[in-house]
Amino acid sequence: MNGDDEAVAASADPSLPLDWRFSQVFGERSAGEEVQEAGVSSAVDIISAIEFDHSGDHLATGDRGGRVVLFERTDAKNSSGARRDLEETDYPLRHPEFRYKTEFQSHDPEFDYLKSLEIEEKINKIRWCQTANGALFLLSTNDKTIKFWKVQDKKIKKICDINSDPSRAVGNGTIATSVNGGVPEANNSFIPGGISSLRLPVVVTSHESSPVARCRRVYSHAHDYHINSISNNSDGETFISADDLRINLWNLEISNQSFNIVDVKPAKMEDLSEVITSAEFHPTHCNMLAYSSSKGSIRLIDLRQSALCDSHSKLFEEPEAAGPKSFFTEIIASVSDIKFAKEGRYLLSRDYMTLKLWDINMDSGPVATFQVHEYLKPKLCDLYENDSIFDKFECCISGNGLRAATGSYSNLFRVFGVSPGSTETATLEASRNPTRRHIPIPSRPSRALSSITRVVSRGSESSGVDGNSNALDYTTKLLHLAWHPNENSIACAAANSLYMYYA
């Protein structure tokens, strides 16, 4: 069986490990070219946010320069539903292709004069909203301000050429002669007898169209601390924004008013013990949302209980491990990102060391734990000194809920099978050859030290090297990635380059 047959078999049987392949790259750096870190250079092209829309036909990225770049899928654009289904039956691994659609400046650098604080333009999060009348809608945010954008194709209007015949255009004024591509040039000859013919430029609408982005609303002055999350509600009318201490509820149509639904700020700031790190609405229940904290816990709240949700309906946290705690225990336990699975029952969380899968119906512990950075435990002091221990890695889960992915150092990312009994583990590099530097490390399932028999811990037992004994580079990190909502396709950001893979 060749590689193509194996890939087809894997796609037909979801339980088989996937064969990941390179699809596309945008903004790839040439050999020897480096993107300088912020502070040394502007580094405005470094990607800071990635998000697929609900259909998977559009992809948005945000960068440190405050720009949002949109891509659209081309391989499925001209296929009708029935024909597309037949093609997928014959060729289930059709190569996904995206192309550049448009870009716009979402945020600009600002200065808070009251606090003497610079507000950088970097895009922290992007979230797609429901489409309407052929237009795309999305939310983007920097540290302080959220903006609601509408992107729609507009017909291009052109001015037709002025092509008067100078031999016929005579009169008691100037004679218009067409030069330089139709621009009239005055001839200072005055001929008596009047003007026999005069043609004026006419504005015509061509068949070509161009996408135009327009900011519909600006939601500002509602957060004292940096915004780390925004999330759309399934009702299509509201969304939340979260900073370190508060979560606010907004209506998309009202930009000058929001409701504070979570406030963890203590009466005295010296009593502060944890902060909010991420927040996400439930994908189907408009009254439920989850938020994570720097202590490693995840709280599920129900908006029907009270206007201010100070109390949670469920608390998800791992039972404390026996043994002494170190200075780094709480730092590495901080949850950097959470994602609901598409059906809403399972919740994925990422902390510095691990990726965890939770069942919202079972708050006694995670269903499964996947080791991502186990080999870094002896190097926590060095990682603390260079601030790498505070890196916030994102996570994503496939549309069918069978696999999850998250990033690592040396521009590597890990893919895990999260379905019961799965031992699938793959480590790939963000490059044209994803297996060039790293071969997948076979996973070794082992029972976790817990009374929950369903908990399985799985991952790499290797040291800080990849499969070919290359030392990991902690200055190159893959923080942002997104999984296509309907297919096994992943988009990930390595500095200013956007890589896409499919299986």
Side-chain angles (χ1 to χ4, degrees):
M1 179 180 287
N2 58 29
D4 291 339
D5 294 336
E6 292 176 355
V8 171
S11 64
D13 187 355
S15 63
L16 293 178
L18 296 178
D19 177 23
W20 290 97
R21 304 179 182 190
F22 170 79
S23 176
Q24 284 177 283
V25 60
F26 296 92
E28 187 178 33
R29 288 175 287 169
S30 59
E33 181 185 358
E34 295 183 356
V35 177
Q36 300 294 327
E37 282 297 323
V40 179
S41 180
S42 58
V44 294
D45 292 330
I46 295 179
I47 297 173
S48 57
I50 302 178
E51 186 78 6
F52 280 104
D53 72 344
H54 302 296
S55 67
D57 291 337
H58 294 89
L59 175 68
T61 65
D63 61 27
R64 291 188 181 180
R67 293 168 297 192
V68 173
V69 183
L70 303 185
F71 301 89
E72 64 179 354
R73 187 162 181 173
T74 59
D75 60 307
K77 195 168 184 180
N78 298 322
S79 298
S80 62
R83 179 179 176 182
R84 185 176 175 182
D85 292 339
L86 291 174
E87 290 177 351
E88 288 180 351
T89 303
D90 295 333
Y91 303 100
L93 278 182
R94 183 174 48 186
H95 191 281
E97 290 183 0
F98 284 78
R99 69 179 178 189
Y100 169 87
K101 181 178 178 69
T102 188
E103 68 179 87
F104 55 90
Q105 188 71 31
S106 174
H107 289 73
D108 294 302
E110 300 176 32
F111 189 82
D112 188 336
Y113 293 98
L114 293 177
K115 298 181 179 179
S116 296
L117 181 69
E118 289 185 0
I119 304 172
E120 62 178 350
E121 64 272 31
K122 180 174 77 78
I123 304 297
N124 291 341
K125 295 289 181 182
I126 296 174
R127 290 292 182 267
W128 290 90
C129 303
Q130 295 179 355
T131 59
N133 300 323
L136 303 174
F137 296 89
L138 54 89
L139 291 165
S140 62
T141 183
N142 64 352
D143 287 338
K144 295 290 184 181
T145 305
I146 307 164
K147 294 186 179 181
F148 183 47
W149 292 90
K150 177 183 179 181
V151 181
Q152 191 172 26
D153 289 339
K154 297 288 187 180
K155 295 291 186 180
I156 299 176
K157 293 184 178 181
K158 295 182 179 180
I159 299 178
C160 68
D161 294 336
I162 302 175
N163 54 357
S164 300
D165 185 356
S167 62
R168 295 173 55 190
V170 296
N172 56 4
T174 62
I175 300 177
T177 58
S178 179
V179 295
N180 297 329
V183 178
E185 182 183 25
N187 186 339
N188 294 324
S189 302
F190 292 90
I191 301 175
I195 299 175
S196 59
S197 66
L198 177 64
R199 299 193 63 180
L200 298 176
V202 178
V203 178
V204 296
T205 302
S206 69
H207 296 290
E208 301 176 8
S209 61
S210 176
V212 176
R214 186 166 64 93
C215 183
R216 295 286 303 274
R217 288 174 187 85
V218 178
Y219 314 90
S220 57
H221 309 299
H223 288 277
D224 293 330
Y225 304 93
H226 289 177
I227 299 172
N228 55 49
S229 303
I230 53 175
S231 179
N232 302 91
N233 197 345
S234 58
D235 63 8
E237 297 179 355
T238 57
F239 70 94
I240 56 170
S241 59
D243 62 21
D244 293 339
L245 299 180
R246 294 185 177 93
I247 299 178
N248 293 333
L249 178 67
W250 301 82
N251 189 297
L252 284 169
E253 302 296 327
I254 303 172
S255 60
N256 59 356
Q257 185 181 29
S258 65
F259 298 94
N260 178 228
I261 56 176
V262 174
D263 190 348
V264 300
K265 184 178 180 180
K268 296 181 180 179
M269 285 300 289
E270 53 264 28
D271 296 332
L272 182 66
S273 60
E274 63 180 335
V275 296
I276 299 169
T277 56
S278 182
E280 185 91 357
F281 257 122
H282 191 279
T284 57
H285 299 313
C286 61
N287 57 290
M288 294 174 58
L289 64 94
Y291 71 91
S292 59
S293 80
S294 58
K295 279 192 170 181
S297 61
I298 302 173
R299 291 173 173 84
L300 190 69
I301 62 176
D302 191 336
L303 298 178
R304 298 172 298 184
Q305 290 182 344
S306 62
L308 183 61
C309 301
D310 288 330
S311 60
H312 52 267
S313 57
K314 284 190 178 181
L315 175 65
F316 304 96
E317 57 184 358
E318 196 164 22
E320 288 190 16
K325 293 184 178 181
S326 70
F327 171 75
F328 307 107
T329 300
E330 188 169 317
I331 298 177
I332 63 176
S334 177
V335 178
S336 58
D337 190 27
I338 58 173
K339 291 288 194 310
F340 274 102
K342 195 172 185 179
E343 84 290 343
R345 176 175 175 179
Y346 293 98
L347 183 65
L348 191 69
S349 69
R350 170 68 201 268
D351 55 48
Y352 188 73
M353 305 298 290
T354 64
L355 187 70
K356 293 184 176 72
L357 184 70
W358 307 81
D359 186 340
I360 65 172
N361 297 328
M362 186 182 76
D363 55 3
S364 54
V367 174
T369 299
F370 308 96
Q371 300 296 338
V372 181
H373 285 162
E374 185 72 16
Y375 56 85
L376 294 180
K377 277 188 176 180
K379 304 181 180 182
L380 293 180
C381 288
D382 296 334
L383 295 167
Y384 179 79
E385 290 294 329
N386 60 25
D387 289 339
S388 294
I389 199 172
F390 300 107
D391 288 334
K392 300 184 182 302
F393 292 93
E394 294 181 0
C395 60
C396 59
I397 190 166
S398 62
N400 57 15
L402 299 180
R403 294 171 182 85
T406 189
S408 182
Y409 293 105
S410 291
N411 286 337
L412 300 176
F413 64 98
R414 308 285 303 275
V415 180
F416 299 95
V418 300
S419 58
S422 174
T423 59
E424 180 179 355
T425 304
T427 304
L428 307 166
E429 181 191 20
S431 66
R432 288 182 177 269
N433 184 3
T435 58
R436 174 175 63 90
R437 293 184 59 230
H438 197 104
I439 56 176
I441 301 173
S443 60
R444 187 177 67 184
S446 61
R447 291 295 176 185
L449 298 177
S450 171
S451 59
I452 308 301
T453 58
R454 295 179 61 200
V455 176
V456 177
S457 178
R458 185 166 77 248
S460 168
E461 303 293 338
S462 67
S463 61
V465 295
D466 64 15
N468 294 330
S469 299
N470 296 313
L472 293 176
D473 181 5
Y474 303 113
T475 61
T476 57
K477 56 199 77 171
L478 198 152
L479 302 177
H480 312 286
L481 75 172
W483 201 301
H484 192 282
N486 305 315
E487 300 175 3
N488 287 320
S489 178
I490 294 178
C492 56
N496 67 327
S497 302
L498 175 66
Y499 288 91
M500 305 189 70
Y501 302 92
Y502 74 103

